[in-house]
Amino acid sequence: MNKSSISILLPFKNTAEFLPDCILSIIDQTYDDWEILAVNDHSTDDSLDIMFSYAQKDSRIKVLTNDGNGIIDALRTAYSHSQGNYITRMDSDDIMSLNKLEVMVKALKNHGQGHIALGKVKYFSKDGVGDGYKRYEKWLNRLTEKGLNYSEIYKECVIPSPCWMVHRKDLEKAGSFSSNRYPEDYDLAFRFYEQGLTCIPTNELLHYWRDYGHRTSRTSEHYAQNYFLDIKLHYFLKLDHDKQSPLVLWGAGNKGKTLAKKLLKKKMAFIWVCNNSNKIGLNIYGKKMEHYMVIDKLQKAQIIITVANKEAQEFIKDYLLAQGKKSVQDFFFFC
């Protein structure tokens, strides 16, 4: 394969009803120098037969069997057989826009190594898209338009798993798929962030994200909220925590309490605050709930915010910005 070739890592498991749309959207791409590394993750439906039928017609499609179990092992298997200079991932139930690969390769060629090519995404579903997914789509696309994805990385996964492309060397620097941490896409986003890879801004809609009731991200335990909190805390402590600064936890809802337990388990000192008058002064897990204005008296505090209410988030953000504090430096929204 030449230096412009793309390796598309495509794990699949029991997505027979969606595979033809997915594969045809790749075959019909305006950019044709690609290979598909399609890894069967122990499907029990007709997925494998369907994939073989396409591979027999197109030598660019290679069908493999997962060396282990689950999507991380499948991605490792695919990557170990890949040859392209550019690496991307595709979900077997989704659809590419016709110029997706062309747009992404062009962006990487123009900007060089040290960059991530992204695209806007759009959810679709025969049953209609829920409000939560609509909000996530709007939020994600707003960040992608300006390449500011890392600015809110502690809220949610800011790099959509099936809509990124990087140089092989940059993926290697980020550890490729060596991590066992779930959700695997969020973990990789943090490792891109850790390596300082720059997100290339774009207004192009490049990926159609299918939603349905038995989608893996809806049904697998690996995508439960506790996994997201574990990743956020792990990378905050590794990448952004200043050990010389007071640590503040703002919020006493379910996420706040869960995070407090994790901090206590790690024997980390922190000040717990909230703006709920019914909870200020309470003793929870041996910690007294303080009024949020105690932050005014702290020097160079770092604040983790777990308040989910959108209006409250805006109040908190305005309050901290008025004090000259900066996002993803002095304060971090974990929801």
Side-chain angles (χ1 to χ4, degrees), residues 229 249-263 270 272 285 289 304-307 335:
L229 278 177
L249 175 61
W250 188 328
N254 290 334
K255 285 186 180 179
K257 289 176 181 176
T258 300
L259 202 55
K261 287 181 182 179
K262 294 180 183 296
L263 291 172
F270 66 97
W272 202 353
Y285 311 142
M289 189 66 58
I304 296 175
I305 302 146
T306 63
V307 178
C335 58

Side-chain angles (χ1 to χ4, degrees), residues 138 174 231 251 281:
K138 183 178 180 181
I231 279 187

Side-chain angles (χ1 to χ4, degrees), residues 250-284:
W250 188 328
N254 290 334
K255 285 186 180 179
K257 289 176 181 176
T258 300
L259 202 55
K261 287 181 182 179
K262 294 180 183 296
L263 291 172
L264 289 168
K265 188 175 181 179
K266 292 178 178 292
K267 301 187 184 304
M268 293 193 63
F270 66 97
I271 300 164
W272 202 353
V273 308
C274 73
N275 52 310
N276 184 336
S277 58
N278 294 324
K279 294 183 178 180
I280 294 171
L282 294 181
N283 190 296
I284 305 175

Side-chain angles (χ1 to χ4, degrees), residues 67-212:
D67 292 335
N69 283 282
I71 196 165
I72 292 178
D73 284 336
L75 289 167
R76 288 171 180 162
T77 301
Y79 188 56
S80 69
H81 289 83
S82 67
Q83 300 179 55
N85 188 48
Y86 302 103
I87 309 295
T88 189
R89 178 183 154 182
M90 181 63 177
D91 286 350
S92 63
D93 41 15
D94 292 348
I95 297 173
M96 291 186 177
S97 67
L98 293 180
N99 63 339
K100 177 180 179 179
L101 298 181
E102 181 181 5
V103 168
M104 288 186 146
V105 165
K106 184 178 180 180
L108 287 177
K109 286 182 177 180
N110 286 343
H111 289 83
Q113 289 185 28
H115 290 82
I116 309 172
L118 300 171
K120 286 186 174 182
V121 298
K122 185 174 181 61
Y123 277 104
F124 70 102
S125 171
K126 66 178 182 179
D127 300 318
V129 178
D131 290 341
Y133 286 105
K134 288 179 181 177
R135 287 193 297 270
Y136 178 61
E137 174 191 302
K138 183 178 180 181
W139 170 77
L140 188 57
N141 288 340
R142 174 176 56 80
L143 295 174
T144 300
E145 285 176 0
K146 297 182 179 181
L148 297 176
N149 301 65
Y150 298 143
S151 67
E152 299 188 31
I153 193 169
Y154 287 97
K155 275 193 173 184
E156 178 59 278
C157 186
V158 291
I159 296 177
S161 59
C163 199
W164 55 262
M165 186 184 292
V166 294
H167 287 266
R168 175 182 288 274
K169 289 183 179 179
D170 286 329
L171 185 60
E172 289 290 334
K173 288 178 182 177
S176 62
F177 304 101
S178 58
S179 173
N180 290 315
R181 192 174 286 108
Y182 280 100
E184 83 294 335
D185 55 341
Y186 201 9
D187 185 73
L188 183 57
F190 270 111
R191 287 185 279 122
F192 286 154
Y193 169 59
E194 181 178 13
Q195 291 301 316
L197 300 186
T198 301
C199 297
I200 304 171
T202 183
N203 282 304
E204 297 270 4
L205 172 59
L206 299 181
H207 190 85
Y208 294 89
W209 219 339
R210 190 189 303 269
D211 183 39
Y212 54 99

